[in-house]
Amino acid sequence: MAGGSRALVLAGGGVAGIAWELGFLAGLADAGVDVVATADLVVGTSAGAAAGAQVTSGTPLAELEAVQLGPPEESREIHVDIDILAFREKLAALIAGAESPDDARARVGRMALEAETVPESVRREVIAARLPVHEWPDRPLLLTVVEAETGKWLTFSKDSGVGLVDAVAASCAVPGVWPPVTIDGRRYVDGGVRSFTNADVAAGYDKVLVAIPLALIDDQRVVLDEELGRLAPAQVLVAEADEASVAAIGTNPLDPAARGPAAKAGRAQATAMAAGIREFWA
């Protein structure tokens, strides 16, 4: 999608990833690099969809960050025990031998449709509580999703006719963990089923900043490299969680208790990267 010069891409990473991204963006703004205010496009996947909807809402970044630093018991988030490495291995086994990308994603989608989870209505209330505003922003915001039955990958925007809460809920519907989201009779799951970053949605923009709250594993890095190739000739800067951020988030990014440490680590990393990002973003 062309039409601007700078795009901000926010990747997945659970509730801890949301917190890291908000801390990171707030830290950059405090260092004089407000990439949110100056981005011509924001792309969000999973956690990045929730963070993207928040930062484009008009709510000050400091307020959004402060929520992440509050006691986890005061949030509406639902604690989930999950072994991320085992989860990734399960998905890899599920898609082994798939005939096409759509087939691979549909396999994951079918698993999500069959999984026992909390009711959709309960999950939707959690997503609604995350968002300070429930209407789409006037500025360009694209949220990635996957249709569960067909594996088709697509983006939702203000022009899609889909409500913002539903769009965010769909993009955050981790397969097997949260229920697929029903929109106009179709069921949708996490845009991360296609890619952790979906950075190539920003193709056509001159500069692309990709914020990734978790450390990528080998196959995710291969996918990202392919996406970055599709962004050419854009200038791209990838801000991947550093060692301190990875340690702060821990082994379960779906644990609400990880939000505070993750937000602080995101801010610290932003402070360390601010000068380089300022030069890149100018």
Side-chain angles (χ1 to χ4, degrees):
M1 175 180 178
S5 62
R6 293 179 289 194
L8 171 64
V9 175
L10 301 173
V15 292
I18 297 171
W20 184 91
E21 287 171 338
L22 294 176
F24 182 76
L25 296 172
L28 285 179
D30 285 349
V33 194
D34 194 342
V35 296
V36 172
T38 52
D40 299 293
L41 170 70
V42 176
V43 177
T45 293
S46 198
Q54 291 184 59
V55 300
T56 58
S57 69
T59 305
L61 289 171
E63 291 185 19
L64 298 173
E65 179 188 30
V67 171
Q68 306 303 311
L69 297 171
E73 61 271 14
E74 292 182 4
S75 77
R76 297 288 297 275
E77 301 292 345
I78 302 171
H79 176 82
V80 176
D81 286 317
I82 187 170
D83 182 329
I84 288 297
L85 290 179
F87 178 73
R88 287 169 167 171
E89 290 174 357
K90 177 182 178 180
L91 294 185
L94 191 63
I95 65 176
E99 297 178 356
S100 67
D102 279 357
D103 177 37
R105 294 191 289 265
R107 293 184 184 193
V108 177
R110 286 193 291 271
M111 178 271 285
L113 291 169
E114 295 170 358
E116 293 186 8
T117 66
V118 300
E120 268 191 75
S121 58
V122 172
R123 176 60 174 165
R124 192 181 189 281
E125 289 176 359
V126 172
I127 299 298
R130 286 179 183 171
L131 307 183
V133 174
H134 291 175
E135 292 76 39
W136 287 91
D138 291 330
R139 55 188 300 188
L141 171 66
L142 295 177
L143 308 181
T144 68
V145 299
V146 168
E147 189 176 350
E149 293 184 357
T150 65
K152 180 182 178 181
W153 170 78
L154 65 157
T155 60
F156 286 143
S157 68
K158 182 180 181 180
D159 299 327
S160 300
V162 175
L164 180 63
V165 175
D166 287 333
V168 173
S171 190
C172 292
V174 180
V177 177
W178 305 121
V181 173
T182 304
I183 301 173
D184 294 332
R186 297 183 182 276
R187 309 290 300 282
Y188 295 91
V189 294
D190 198 321
V193 173
R194 188 251 186 179
S195 161
F196 197 63
T197 51
N198 290 297
D200 50 347
V201 173
Y205 285 77
D206 298 325
K207 295 185 179 182
V208 181
L209 173 62
V210 184
I212 306 176
L214 300 179
L216 299 180
I217 58 176
D218 291 344
D219 58 340
Q220 292 172 332
R221 200 170 300 283
V222 169
V223 171
L224 176 60
D225 287 344
E226 293 173 350
E227 292 172 359
L228 299 187
R230 289 191 285 272
L231 290 176
Q235 298 178 55
V236 181
L237 191 157
V238 176
E240 182 180 343
D242 60 16
E243 186 175 339
S245 293
V246 171
I249 291 174
T251 58
N252 184 2
L254 300 186
D255 183 358
R259 296 186 311 156
K264 293 176 182 177
R267 170 174 281 274
Q269 186 168 345
T271 300
M273 296 186 68
I277 294 176
R278 181 184 299 110
E279 181 178 356
F280 166 78
W281 200 246

